Amino acid sequence: MSITRHVSNDGKELTIAVHGKFDFGLVQEFRRAYSSVGDEKPTVYIDLRETEYLDSSALGMLLNMRKALSDGVKGIHIINSRPEVKNILDISRFDKLFTIE
């Protein structure tokens, strides 16, 4: 389980990738990953390509991030979800709150 963070050279994109299980064990690391987004009002991408599993605490972390960043970013996109992860997001109706690609 780990989080990686990448900011584009122009500061307009922030990508946070979650590797392994996305659960309560990543609370602090995930919060640190989005805590400073810079002055460019970037688009945030949560890359779940390597996320094997997410639980209710991960859903809560995504909601807390959305609330914390609401005016500081252009948008939040959840990208590259595996079918089983996307199913959890769909059941939770996260498509109403995030752009899911």
Side-chain angles (χ1 to χ4, degrees):
M1 298 186 307
S2 68
I3 303 279
T4 56
R5 178 183 197 270
H6 174 74
V7 179
S8 64
N9 291 334
D10 61 6
K12 293 183 179 179
E13 294 182 356
L14 166 63
T15 302
I16 299 170
V18 181
H19 309 277
K21 293 181 179 180
F22 190 8
D23 60 18
F24 189 74
L26 293 178
V27 168
Q28 295 302 323
E29 193 175 355
F30 186 72
R31 191 174 293 145
R32 276 192 302 273
Y34 70 78
S35 64
S36 60
V37 295
D39 299 327
E40 293 294 322
K41 283 192 85 164
T43 300
V44 176
Y45 295 94
I46 306 300
D47 188 345
L48 301 181
R49 174 187 337 260
E50 294 184 29
T51 305
E52 301 165 1
Y53 165 83
L54 59 93
D55 66 5
S56 60
S57 63
L59 297 174
M61 286 185 264
L62 290 168
L63 292 173
N64 285 336
M65 177 193 65
R66 181 176 179 267
K67 183 178 178 182
L69 297 180
S70 61
D71 294 330
V73 299
K74 287 184 182 163
I76 301 173
H77 299 250
I78 299 175
I79 60 172
N80 301 320
S81 300
R82 293 179 180 191
E84 56 273 15
V85 170
K86 187 170 184 326
N87 188 43
I88 293 169
L89 296 170
D90 290 344
I91 289 169
S92 303
R93 299 182 56 92
F94 269 49
D95 60 321
K96 306 293 183 200
L97 304 171
F98 301 91
T99 301
I100 299 178
E101 302 172 20

